Amino acid sequence: MKELIKRILREEQETPVLNKKEILLFKYINDNKQKVGTKSEMIKFIQEMLRYFGMPLNEATMYYEIYTANFRPDGDYENLTKENFKDYRQFKQRKVTNNTAYEYATAKMPFKGSNVEGQWDVNNNNDWYYVVKSYGWYPIFLFINDQWYRTLDTYSRATRKQMSQVNPVKFDSNLNADVMSVTKGEMERLMDGRYDIERVKTDRVSNFVKVKDKVTNQSKLISGGWGDNAHRVNFMIKDVEDVDGKIKISVEVLKAGKMIDRKMIPDSNFKDNPELLDGIMKTIKQDILRTYPSYLTDNNTEIELLN
């Protein structure tokens, strides 16, 4: 695998190693290097510069490591080439605590914690990917082709804890990442290049349609909303179809109504109440998405209410 990676690096098209913003960033760090002595101070300084340049703040740690490895006292970063540039994807894994591992995972830097590690690799399609693994073999987070993925299958309590500690895609207004949840099998196929994101979406639709006999004609009672909008609904999935690449789920509402004093007051005319109808449909969709996360997402699922 190491030889394959080296060959791919040699065969990559000749493009500038650093873009203009990165060159300016590194030059500015050179000019102010004496003012920020410690690593933490340097990272905070880089964050401020990233904010100024309109770049993701969560990449400060990555740029700190790249800058340190490729430091040029004369500031000649324009002439860095693939031959003399130390590629961060090939950096040696940095030993970290699990509580600080998220800083490296967010920056997509190689790291090694306690039974959890992150590193870059390349598949047979010559695609680079960054993967975080639990216990050295179980993939929990993946970054490939500018897309983050996280596994739906948490394997064990220890793995769930690691996912919480390392999570590189937890809510952060500075992290422009739309993470997609996938099964372990889907993640492994994405890693080795057999799947791409479109294939995952396509297969989920067709696979859910195949199992529709297992999800239809089962009555379910759920609650939703709060305060004056609290309601309860008893519904049943009647059909599942593939319509233009999306999953269309037809549902029948058997009983529905507002909650008053913790009791449902059945309302046969709930469809005539736009606010109540909207709340009921949202509650049904949220419940269905939570029940079948391996197949359904908000974007690939449409709910149709039968008359």
Side-chain angles (χ1 to χ4, degrees), residues 110-297:
F111 74 89
K112 190 173 184 63
S114 176
N115 296 317
V116 63
E117 60 185 299
Q119 61 185 0
W120 284 91
D121 209 335
V122 67
N123 62 28
N124 292 329
N125 294 337
N126 293 351
D127 294 325
W128 283 97
Y129 64 86
Y130 178 79
V131 60
V132 179
K133 293 182 179 180
S134 173
Y135 291 94
W137 69 276
Y138 197 91
I140 53 179
F141 291 103
L142 171 69
F143 182 83
I144 185 171
N145 295 325
D146 296 321
Q147 174 68 45
W148 272 109
Y149 300 88
R150 94 177 129 221
T151 184
L152 285 163
D153 313 316
T154 52
Y155 180 62
S156 69
R157 183 180 300 176
T159 298
R160 286 195 294 273
K161 183 177 180 181
Q162 291 166 352
M163 290 182 69
S164 177
Q165 291 173 321
V166 177
N167 191 355
V169 289
K170 64 181 66 176
F171 177 75
D172 182 348
S173 60
N174 298 310
L175 180 60
N176 298 318
D178 181 18
V179 62
M180 182 175 181
S181 297
V182 295
T183 65
K184 176 177 175 288
E186 288 172 332
M187 185 172 288
E188 290 174 337
R189 289 189 285 274
L190 285 162
M191 286 167 56
D192 65 25
R194 284 179 289 162
Y195 266 31
D196 58 17
I197 190 170
E198 294 306 318
R199 175 68 183 277
V200 172
K201 293 178 180 179
T202 299
D203 279 10
R204 284 184 169 187
V205 173
S206 60
N207 289 338
F208 192 64
V209 172
K210 290 177 183 177
V211 300
K212 70 176 184 178
D213 290 343
K214 297 180 180 180
V215 305
T216 53
N217 299 313
Q218 299 178 38
S219 174
K220 191 171 186 180
L221 181 64
I222 58 174
S223 300
W226 59 87
D228 293 338
N229 295 318
H231 54 265
R232 185 168 291 172
V233 55
N234 182 212
F235 76 97
M236 180 184 295
I237 296 176
K238 298 300 294 183
D239 195 16
V240 176
E241 300 176 272
D242 178 347
V243 178
D244 298 326
K246 289 191 174 185
I247 299 170
K248 180 179 179 181
I249 299 177
S250 301
V251 300
E252 178 183 354
V253 171
L254 307 176
K255 186 185 295 185
K258 287 191 173 184
M259 295 292 291
I260 298 179
D261 295 331
R262 298 185 179 181
K263 293 183 179 180
M264 180 177 72
I265 307 301
D267 184 354
S268 59
N269 297 314
F270 71 89
K271 295 178 185 177
D272 297 328
N273 184 332
E275 185 177 10
L276 178 58
L277 175 61
D278 182 64
I280 287 172
M281 294 305 294
K282 286 181 178 177
T283 296
I284 291 174
K285 184 171 184 178
Q286 289 170 358
D287 179 79
I288 293 175
L289 294 182
R290 283 194 299 265
T291 304
Y292 306 105
S294 299
Y295 301 99
L296 310 181
T297 67

